Amino acid sequence: MVHYKLLTPGPLTTSATVKEEMLFDRCTWDNEYKEITQKIRTKLLELAETSKDDYTTVLMQGSGSFAVESVMTSAISNQDKLLIISNGAYGERMVKTARYIGLNYRVYDVAYNEQPKVEEITEILKVDQDITHIMMVHCETTTGILNPIEMMAKLSSEFGKTFIVDAMSSFGGLEINISELGIDFLISSANKCIQGVPGFAFVIAKKEKLVTCKGNSRSLSLDLYDQWKEMDKDGKWRFTSPTHVVAAFARAIDELEEEGGVPARFTRYQQNNRILRERMERLGFKTYLSEEKQSPIITAFLFPNERFNFAEFYSFVKERGYVLYPGKLTDENTFRIGNIGEIYQEDIEELCGIIEEYMGVVTK
Ligand SMILES: *Cc1c(COP(=O)(O)O)cnc(C)c1O
């Protein structure tokens, strides 16, 4: 098998030292292991710039969608109504999840390359007074668009709604001051900007909201309240925890701190993203989004011409050590390059060299 680095938004390339943590098999009920879980829960609150008095962290087995579903089924009761703000595949997944659970919901959606508009949402909140909860994706990984959570947080608190943010692909890579914004539930996962491996996700929840979730969940495994109550005792997970993933994640948090915390990581991501976009532009690739909407996480590029064959391009780049990500748009031909993970400027430079070579080869 050829080894390659991942230029995808999770799973992503992790450090050797993060992977090394998984070489030891840990015991779930052992104190040392339980302390790792508690340390992770505390550190996540610090990264979120929140205090232990007002917020808590609940870890949940599974991929990011499991935690999104867990919040939806636990925080939103049959008496509530949810407003889903959508401009991409992950917003659409929320809609699908709401349907599966049987939630009372409505959708506000805009085109994939547009941000939601404050006036339109204000209007919905004025007219539809049944709405109790609002959900939104921070960085829509479908396109890489950054959605205005500050604006939504403000609106949500003005109207007295519960605000739930899918910050899956942004938390740890972009500064988010959860308590200042008054976010009630923020969801992210182990294998995104904190640079761990896949296997669990986490929810940073305002305690006063979490305590009201008791008995709401339509799913046993995904009951966020029960998971919290059990974990909060001494760090033991309710059901089998992904021990290797948890150990690797604790190491990944240490490495985030060693790098200089979220601001330093943001700077690395942003610089690499800028270099990538500039060099790709010179090679004839246009971005799907205009620059001001672009997150430093992942970039969608349009196919440069009609002859462009993504499968061939993908193989060419993969053979030379990097894996790219297909597009997820229905109306435009795109592919995506993620720049989160253990990826540095020299990787981006090398990648662009490979792409330059490919473009030279195919135009000859
Ligand atoms: C990765 C991601 C998810 C979760 O997807 P999984 O495949 O379940 O891990 C949810 N929302 C966003 C914005 C994501 O980037």
Side-chain angles (χ1 to χ4, degrees):
M1 200 175 124
V2 256
H3 280 220
Y4 47 72
K5 287 188 181 177
L6 294 167
L7 296 172
T8 61
L12 37 63
T13 303
T14 56
S15 69
T17 37
V18 162
K19 288 188 270 281
E20 250 164 46
E21 285 294 327
M22 296 186 287
L23 295 175
F24 174 66
D25 306 305
R26 290 171 175 81
C27 170
T28 53
W29 48 260
D30 181 80
N31 277 337
E32 269 175 316
Y33 176 70
K34 290 192 284 191
E35 276 162 22
I36 299 177
T37 294
Q38 296 300 56
K39 179 190 126 181
I40 288 174
R41 295 181 63 218
T42 305
K43 295 260 171 175
L44 287 175
L45 288 185
E46 288 169 15
L47 287 178
E49 302 172 48
T50 58
S51 100
K52 257 193 153 105
D53 299 333
D54 302 328
Y55 283 84
T56 187
T57 317
V58 189
L59 314 184
M60 180 61 75
Q61 294 93 333
S63 80
S65 302
F66 289 61
V68 174
E69 187 164 348
S70 169
V71 171
M72 291 175 78
T73 191
S74 306
I76 305 165
S77 79
N78 292 334
Q79 282 72 49
D80 295 325
K81 182 168 182 181
L82 168 67
L83 171 64
I84 300 169
I85 295 165
S86 172
N87 58 352
Y90 293 101
E92 284 160 18
R93 192 175 294 175
M94 286 175 181
V95 176
K96 198 169 177 183
T97 309
R99 215 165 51 230
Y100 265 69
I101 302 169
L103 296 177
N104 185 16
Y105 69 94
R106 74 180 277 172
V107 183
Y108 165 79
D109 55 357
V110 293
Y112 278 24
N113 59 357
E114 278 176 31
Q115 286 163 333
K117 293 170 190 65
V118 60
E119 315 78 41
E120 292 179 358
I121 299 171
T122 308
E123 202 46 40
I124 292 175
L125 291 174
K126 275 187 186 156
V127 174
D128 191 345
Q129 297 189 355
D130 291 341
I131 294 167
T132 50
H133 293 67
I134 302 172
M135 280 188 93
M136 184 189 217
V137 176
H138 186 203
C139 169
E140 237 311 343
T141 322
T142 315
T143 56
I145 197 168
L146 203 58
N147 283 324
I149 49 167
E150 298 77 13
M151 171 277 273
M152 261 328 296
K154 195 161 160 277
L155 210 54
S156 186
S157 81
E158 272 169 29
F159 281 85
K161 312 297 179 197
T162 297
F163 187 38
I164 305 167
V165 179
D166 169 351
M168 209 71 67
S169 61
S170 55
F171 186 77
L174 289 172
E175 272 189 282
I176 306 173
N177 189 323
I178 299 190
S179 24
E180 208 176 281
L181 292 174
I183 295 170
D184 296 297
F185 296 90
L186 179 137
I187 308 152
S188 186
S189 79
N191 60 284
K192 304 254 175 164
C193 296
I194 298 183
Q195 300 185 180
V197 302
F200 75 89
F202 55 87
V203 179
I204 298 171
K206 200 185 271 178
K207 278 188 198 166
E208 67 176 59
K209 291 289 167 86
L210 189 56
V211 292
T212 68
C213 295
K214 189 177 181 177
N216 280 344
S217 181
R218 293 83 170 167
S219 155
L220 171 70
S221 310
L222 297 177
D223 192 329
L224 191 69
Y225 181 88
D226 279 3
Q227 183 86 348
W228 171 48
K229 279 293 160 188
E230 186 69 27
M231 188 170 276
D232 214 37
K233 283 180 203 156
D234 64 351
K236 178 151 184 323
W237 293 49
R238 199 170 41 138
F239 307 137
T240 300
S241 63
T243 45
H244 300 75
V245 181
V246 169
F249 189 72
R251 176 71 209 157
I253 292 186
D254 289 343
E255 292 181 7
L256 171 56
E257 283 176 351
E258 284 158 21
E259 185 172 349
V262 180
R265 186 153 291 180
F266 169 76
T267 302
R268 170 164 64 92
Y269 287 173
Q270 198 186 36
Q271 278 171 359
N272 289 342
N273 185 264
R274 188 177 42 77
I275 297 167
L276 175 71
R277 281 186 292 115
E278 280 171 8
R279 289 215 34 191
M280 288 292 281
E281 188 127 6
R282 269 185 267 148
L283 293 171
F285 290 91
K286 294 205 159 46
T287 55
Y288 173 70
L289 293 174
S290 55
E291 196 177 338
E292 78 283 358
K293 294 179 195 159
Q294 175 67 50
S295 70
I297 306 293
I298 186 167
T299 311
F301 292 98
L302 301 171
F303 285 11
N305 54 56
E306 274 164 20
R307 297 179 313 280
F308 186 75
N309 178 335
F310 178 71
E312 189 192 272
F313 175 66
Y314 174 92
S315 303
F316 186 93
V317 177
K318 181 182 165 190
E319 276 159 28
R320 287 155 184 79
Y322 293 93
V323 159
L324 308 177
Y325 209 49
K328 222 179 191 173
L329 305 185
T330 44
D331 53 342
E332 301 239 34
N333 281 323
T334 54
F335 65 91
R336 290 174 290 172
I337 302 181
N339 57 268
I340 58 177
E342 204 59 8
I343 296 293
Y344 295 89
Q345 186 170 339
E346 54 270 27
D347 296 303
I348 300 292
E349 305 272 3
E350 191 182 1
L351 170 78
C352 293
I354 295 166
I355 295 175
E356 185 165 9
E357 189 191 335
Y358 178 80
M359 295 305 280
V361 171
V362 290
T363 51
K364 247 181 244 152

